[in-house]
Amino acid sequence: METALTGLVGLFYAVSIYMMLSKHIIRVLLGIAIFGNAVNMTIFTAGRVLREVPPIIAEGRTALDGVTANPLPQALILTAIVISFSFFAFLLVLAYRAYQELGTDNTDEMRIAEPEGEGLPPLGY
Amino acid sequence: MADGSQSVTFLALILPFLAAAIAPALTRVFKHNAAWVLALAPLFLVVHFFGYLGDVADGRTVTGGYSWIPSLGVDFAWFIDGLSLTFALLISGIGTLIVLYAGGYLKGHEQQGRFFSFILMFMGAMQGLVLSDSFMMLFVFWELTSITSFLLIGFDHAREASRRAAIQALVVTGLGGLSLLAGLLVIWAATGQGTLSGLLATGDALRAAPFYLLALVLVLGGAFTKSAQFPFHFWLPNAMEAPTPVSAYLHSATMVKAGVYLLMRLNPVLGETVWWETILPVFGGTTLIVGTLLAIRQTDLKLMLAYTTVASLGLLVMLTGFGSEIAIEAAVLYLVAHSMFKGALFMVAGLIDHEAGTRDVRRLGGLRSAMPITFAAALLAALSMGGLPPFFGFLAKEEIYAALNFSGGWNGVFTVVAIVGNALMLVIGFAVALKPFLGAAVETPKHAHEGPVLLWLGPLTLAVVGLVAAVFSGVSHHYVSEPMAAAVAGAPVEIYISVVPHASLALLLSLVTIALGIAIYLLLDRARDAMAGVLAAIGWGPDRGFDQVIRGLIRLADAVTGVIQNGRLEVYMVVTFVMIAIAVWTPMLVFDELPSMPSVPDLTFYEWTVFAIAIIGLGAVVYAADRLTAIVSLGIQGFAVALLFLLLGAPDLSFTQFMVETLSVVILALVMTRLRLHPSDHRPTPEKLLDMTIAGACGLGFALLLLKVTQIPFDATLSEFFSTYSYVIAHGRNIVNVIIVDFRGLDTLGEIAVVMITGLAILALIRIRVPRTSKQPEAAS
């Protein structure tokens, strides 16, 4: 199972990075969304996959019986999902507002902060 | 050392800084008369250090200090012998007079308080520099003098010339300071001594060390820049942009002598080698000649003096480099004499400028009746500078000529250099002190009259001290010259020279010098024109070179920034991911850490189906031709991940993922429908192939890394900890939930805060509407 998952994780990374390398801001955003999933699955796989049984202590017991899924990566990922969602939402609104103000979705054309052909800084003292 | 004396010396070290702190407030209350109060601080130092004269004259040294960084063996420690005591007395004594002089010179200036503050800070730094025992303390104070010098040169910061001079001085002396630091560290490493007193006790250890030459060159780099040796001399004349009290104090009497101090201090351990006795005289002699020749060219009183200061520093370095005992005596005498007469002459130049409104020697004349006290001070100082009896400068010059009387191949050359240099200095001294006062009265921009007591007290005192110290040469030798020379030579020294001329070769050379000087003085205007012609023919100098270097630096920085920070997000992303791919692949390939070949995964039919859905979703995101397809496909891969979590024993993750993906799709759809955005790929094929390669390399790299991780044994300690204690301690059966709300509760609190801040930022982004003309909307301000 882990082998199959690593393959899928690799594919997720490849697709998200390919999207992020685009000039179009919306494709970059889609890439970031996928990247979040890729990272979460990396944590999940690294914590080993032991199939079906969720890490819940049975009624009347004080610890887990037998083999269950690893609870630690799950807790980490739960936090990560929420954070990456807020991150994504913020970037989406930022892109939306940038498009409204600048009238372009091409990152090459967003040059207000670093204008082209600025010339040399002053050479005096 | 008694504890009481120790704390008083410590107080003396920090007193100038304390005075600097209160100077602005004091000046606001008392205006320029604050100088009388502030001068008490350096006066206290004079009195305190006078108390050590007896001890030091008897050959004892005073040490003391406190532990500073014990783990590195660095102490806040001081070391007072003849050399540092003489310097300390010069610094505090001239400092007292300079503070008073500044009170009169900058009277009514609205930043006078700040000026007092800077100059007192400098005094503290310089005081610390000459009294330091530990290398680190020496270096810190050394750099502090550079910084305060920068502040003082740039005091009149509204003028570009001031700013340039300040930056130039800081760059040159700052770089020299770094060189000195490196040199001190080399010495520290070579001898194991981190203090001057310790180093001086090692004898020949440093000279025998393999890194001797490296240490010497690095230390000289610091000393030569600070003491304005050719070809680093150019910053010193430019520093004349500073107000005259600064020129008199920092740039003639004290700071520029820090380099000479360093050389004298290290003479017992670095000197007496072929390198030392070659490099120092050659650079010093060159500086002497270049400085005096350039001085002839000037018409500004301050610039004339500045170039002779360069020349005098050259003379001091030359003498220090000869290595003979008598040369050291000469250097010591000349250093003391120079501090006094040059400080006085600078103050005279400032006084003339202040009262007559110009410093141009061609536009001054006949001031003797208008400014008699100033004239007296100028005359006394100039006679000392010219080396005439019965002044201290005479003692120095006699000793210099006696020192040249040694055997060696270059003897004749240095003798000629010294005669020419001294003659030209006599010319400049007379030109500054006599020309403005003698001859017919000349119309000056201001109607000249004698300055206030604050202004003439300083130069007159220094000039008179120069006379008294020479007349009672026995006393001054015993308490000042001999202990200082002994510290430089590293052995007891006796000096006999007095103001009574005695027939010798030295006297003959003195007479030659004086005759030559008077001859040139009478032809000064013609000599000046000739020098101007020569300099115009050369055209280029280190000063212009400095401008070229600075401009070149700016151009280089601009070019480098243009390449690295070119404003194209795509390039940043490509570089980032290429670096990530390299970082992932290199360790695996270099250390042969590639994972072993895995077996074919054994999955159930429905698990394969979920994998297939995820892959189809990913493919559709890349190839989607319109935005709705892209959004839906993004949802598909997200739901596939949620399904995987569900199948693999993570129901909590699954539910969260479902909710988040649904929300993402909804928000995306809402935003995207408002914009005319193209989700499809517009890249040309070569670019696509490049990006695919990078993405593929990263993806494969991550996959292999993860595979390797899953192939090494699993450490379940943490998971077992949570399993064991989840119910027992936290009373929860769902371990994932317990971790989130209990074991890592603070973490979750942070997460909630992040979500809340993001929400506020989004709200701000949507609400802020700036007019079209302004720049990008501020994010989350």
Side-chain angles (χ1 to χ4, degrees):
Chain A
M1 189 68 205
E2 277 130 355
T3 311
L5 270 179
T6 46
L8 190 65
V9 167
L11 189 66
F12 265 77
Y13 274 118
V15 169
S16 72
I17 290 170
Y18 179 70
M19 298 291 275
M20 280 195 266
L21 289 171
S22 166
K23 285 192 186 69
H24 293 276
I25 199 109
I26 207 70
R27 285 177 74 81
V28 175
L29 271 180
L30 294 175
I32 290 171
I34 299 172
F35 200 78
N37 284 337
V39 172
N40 290 344
M41 289 209 298
T42 309
I43 302 173
F44 194 73
T45 314
R48 304 300 192 276
V49 180
L50 302 160
R51 302 281 171 109
E52 294 86 4
V53 192
I56 294 173
I57 299 167
E59 203 66 46
R61 311 282 310 185
T62 57
L64 289 174
D65 296 316
V67 178
T68 67
N70 188 353
L72 183 58
Q74 294 192 21
L76 297 177
I77 295 169
L78 212 49
T79 310
I81 292 178
V82 179
I83 299 266
S84 61
F85 171 66
S86 10
F87 185 53
F88 176 71
F90 175 73
L91 286 181
L92 189 67
V93 175
L94 194 62
Y96 167 62
R97 293 285 291 124
Y99 179 79
Q100 274 191 327
E101 293 291 325
L102 305 172
T104 177
D105 68 334
N106 187 332
T107 54
D108 274 1
E109 291 165 17
M110 298 180 170
R111 303 223 43 148
I112 287 185
E114 294 165 292
E116 269 174 301
E118 258 186 315
L120 281 173
L123 292 173
Y125 290 90
Chain B
M1 219 48 246
D3 272 358
S5 173
Q6 167 139 330
S7 43
V8 174
T9 304
F10 182 70
L11 177 69
L13 275 166
I14 60 167
L15 190 63
F17 295 104
L18 297 178
I22 61 161
L26 215 56
T27 312
R28 219 166 293 136
V29 178
F30 295 113
K31 304 283 181 265
H32 67 280
N33 284 319
W36 294 108
V37 184
L38 290 170
L40 292 177
L43 194 63
F44 170 79
L45 304 189
V46 177
V47 173
H48 176 65
F49 289 123
F50 246 91
Y52 287 135
L53 275 177
D55 268 357
V56 170
D58 292 342
R60 284 193 287 275
T61 58
V62 182
T63 54
Y66 299 96
S67 189
W68 184 15
I69 315 171
S71 56
L72 296 178
V74 175
D75 289 335
F76 188 90
W78 52 85
F79 171 65
I80 303 173
D81 63 355
L83 179 59
S84 27
L85 186 60
T86 307
F87 263 96
L89 282 172
L90 284 175
I91 293 160
S92 51
I94 299 179
T96 310
L97 300 171
I98 287 289
V99 168
L100 295 176
Y101 182 77
Y105 191 80
L106 287 173
K107 180 179 174 182
H109 194 292
E110 56 183 41
Q111 299 291 356
Q112 194 177 21
R114 193 170 62 169
F115 185 83
F116 280 136
S117 193
F118 287 166
I119 208 142
L120 286 164
M121 264 192 273
F122 164 77
M123 192 185 295
M126 190 68 203
Q127 192 83 253
L129 165 60
V130 296
L131 297 179
S132 293
D133 191 16
S134 77
F135 287 175
M136 276 305 113
M137 203 172 133
L138 174 74
F139 172 72
V140 168
F141 281 122
W142 181 281
E143 291 296 56
L144 212 51
T145 60
S146 291
I147 292 166
T148 44
S149 158
F150 166 79
L151 292 172
L152 285 165
I153 298 171
F155 180 69
D156 192 4
H157 55 81
R159 284 185 309 119
E160 186 178 351
S162 259
R163 294 197 298 271
R164 174 174 184 270
I167 291 171
Q168 194 178 52
L170 186 67
V171 168
V172 175
T173 56
L175 286 178
L178 291 181
S179 172
L180 171 67
L181 176 64
L184 291 175
L185 291 179
V186 170
I187 293 177
W188 200 336
T191 62
Q193 295 292 339
T195 59
L196 290 169
S197 51
L199 180 67
L200 292 175
T202 59
D204 278 333
L206 188 55
R207 277 185 286 265
F211 292 116
Y212 167 75
L213 190 60
L214 179 66
L216 176 66
V217 169
L218 288 171
V219 166
L220 290 184
F224 281 6
T225 47
K226 198 79 164 181
S227 282
Q229 297 299 295
F230 182 83
F232 308 113
H233 65 284
F234 55 91
W235 70 267
L236 182 54
N238 287 337
M240 295 302 124
E241 293 294 338
T244 304
V246 178
S247 311
Y249 192 38
L250 274 71
H251 303 125
S252 74
T254 57
M255 188 189 85
V256 290
K257 295 211 173 70
V260 177
Y261 164 78
L262 187 70
L263 296 178
M264 290 181 160
R265 173 56 84 210
L266 296 176
N267 180 52
V269 288
L270 274 179
E272 288 169 34
T273 64
V274 178
W275 289 108
W276 178 273
E277 288 174 7
T278 308
I279 299 177
L280 263 62
V282 167
F283 273 88
T286 312
T287 309
L288 171 60
I289 290 299
V290 170
T292 46
L293 289 178
L294 290 173
I296 295 289
R297 157 79 187 85
Q298 305 302 323
T299 55
D300 182 320
L301 293 178
K302 271 178 77 178
L303 282 177
M304 293 160 78
L305 290 173
Y307 279 106
T308 57
T309 305
V310 171
S312 303
L313 294 168
L315 181 60
L316 286 171
V317 169
M318 184 173 103
L319 291 169
T320 310
F322 284 157
S324 65
E325 189 179 290
I326 191 155
I328 287 168
E329 291 170 20
V332 163
L333 290 172
Y334 189 72
L335 189 143
V336 175
H338 178 260
S339 289
M340 290 190 289
F341 68 68
K342 195 55 75 64
L345 283 177
F346 261 113
M347 287 195 259
V348 166
L351 190 45
I352 293 172
D353 186 20
H354 199 260
E355 298 305 322
T358 180
R359 295 197 306 254
D360 190 330
V361 71
R362 292 167 304 184
R363 296 171 59 196
L364 291 164
L367 291 173
R368 64 187 175 283
S369 51
M371 305 171 74
I373 306 176
T374 314
F375 178 48
L379 193 63
L380 295 179
L383 290 174
S384 184
M385 180 169 171
L388 294 170
F391 292 91
F392 209 75
F394 169 75
L395 306 183
K397 197 165 50 117
E398 290 297 290
E399 204 74 348
I400 290 169
Y401 286 132
L404 286 165
N405 196 11
F406 67 98
S407 57
W410 291 88
N411 193 351
V413 175
F414 285 120
T415 307
V416 172
V417 164
I419 289 176
V420 173
N422 275 329
L424 289 174
M425 277 201 267
L426 180 143
V427 172
I428 300 297
F430 280 16
V432 171
L434 301 182
K435 281 242 157 143
F437 297 101
L438 300 180
V442 176
E443 192 65 29
T444 51
K446 278 208 271 188
H447 180 67
H449 49 77
E450 190 56 79
V453 61
L454 274 173
L455 282 179
W456 56 252
L457 185 65
L460 193 65
T461 310
L462 280 181
V464 170
V465 169
L467 177 61
V468 173
V471 172
F472 298 101
S473 59
V475 178
S476 51
H477 287 337
H478 178 68
Y479 284 106
V480 176
S481 320
E482 283 176 1
M484 180 169 167
V488 178
V493 168
E494 283 182 23
I495 301 176
Y496 301 107
I497 187 84
S498 73
V499 285
V500 183
H502 47 284
S504 67
L505 180 66
L507 187 67
L508 181 68
L509 292 176
S510 272
L511 292 175
V512 172
T513 307
I514 292 167
L516 185 65
I518 290 172
I520 301 175
Y521 176 75
L522 296 174
L523 299 169
L524 184 59
D525 287 338
R526 241 180 279 171
R528 183 187 297 135
D529 292 344
M531 264 319 289
V534 171
L535 288 177
I538 297 172
W540 188 89
D543 192 32
R544 283 181 58 193
F546 177 82
D547 278 348
Q548 287 160 348
V549 168
I550 293 291
R551 289 206 192 105
L553 259 180
I554 295 175
R555 279 176 210 282
L556 179 70
D558 188 61
V560 171
T561 312
V563 171
I564 300 176
Q565 192 80 31
N566 55 16
R568 293 181 59 204
L569 182 68
E570 197 195 348
V571 176
Y572 304 158
M573 296 295 261
V574 166
V575 172
T576 306
F577 284 114
V578 167
M579 292 316 294
I580 287 177
I582 292 172
V584 171
W585 278 96
T586 313
M588 282 200 287
L589 292 177
V590 172
F591 300 104
D592 200 21
E593 291 273 330
L594 285 169
S596 52
M597 190 65 201
S599 54
V600 176
D602 168 33
L603 300 188
T604 61
F605 149 74
Y606 54 88
E607 282 167 343
W608 278 123
T609 314
V610 177
F611 271 78
I613 294 173
I615 293 168
I616 291 168
L618 287 176
V621 172
V622 176
Y623 289 105
D626 63 78
R627 52 180 186 259
L628 207 58
T629 319
I631 297 170
V632 172
S633 317
L634 186 73
I636 290 174
Q637 59 82 32
F639 287 140
V641 173
L643 278 177
L644 273 178
F645 286 149
L646 193 61
L647 291 176
L648 298 176
D652 299 298
L653 290 192
S654 185
F655 297 140
T656 317
Q657 178 82 6
F658 270 123
M659 272 183 353
V660 162
E661 287 300 331
T662 313
L663 267 175
S664 298
V665 169
V666 170
I667 298 174
L668 256 178
L670 280 175
V671 173
M672 296 266 267
T673 46
R674 290 187 175 202
L675 303 177
R676 277 182 233 289
L677 296 176
H678 255 291
S680 60
D681 207 338
H682 288 287
R683 281 175 274 196
T685 313
E687 210 174 299
K688 268 187 192 167
L689 286 175
L690 175 72
D691 289 356
M692 275 181 194
T693 315
I694 297 170
C698 284
L700 191 60
F702 282 132
L704 290 176
L705 188 66
L706 190 54
L707 195 59
K708 180 73 190 174
V709 168
T710 58
Q711 282 174 359
I712 56 176
F714 182 61
D715 177 2
T717 320
L718 268 179
S719 305
E720 274 161 16
F721 168 84
F722 290 121
S723 160
T724 314
Y725 292 108
S726 182
Y727 187 77
V728 179
I729 295 179
H731 308 289
R733 298 191 179 280
N734 184 335
I735 300 179
V736 176
N737 289 1
V738 168
I739 293 176
I740 288 199
V741 300
D742 198 310
F743 289 119
R744 295 169 53 84
L746 267 179
D747 203 26
T748 309
L749 194 68
E751 173 206 338
I752 295 168
V754 168
V755 175
M756 190 187 70
I757 291 166
T758 315
L760 289 175
I762 290 173
L763 190 67
L765 268 179
I766 292 174
R767 296 283 286 277
I768 293 170
R769 296 277 170 204
V770 281
R772 278 274 158 194
T773 48
S774 75
K775 299 204 167 175
Q776 277 181 321
E778 291 288 324
S781 52

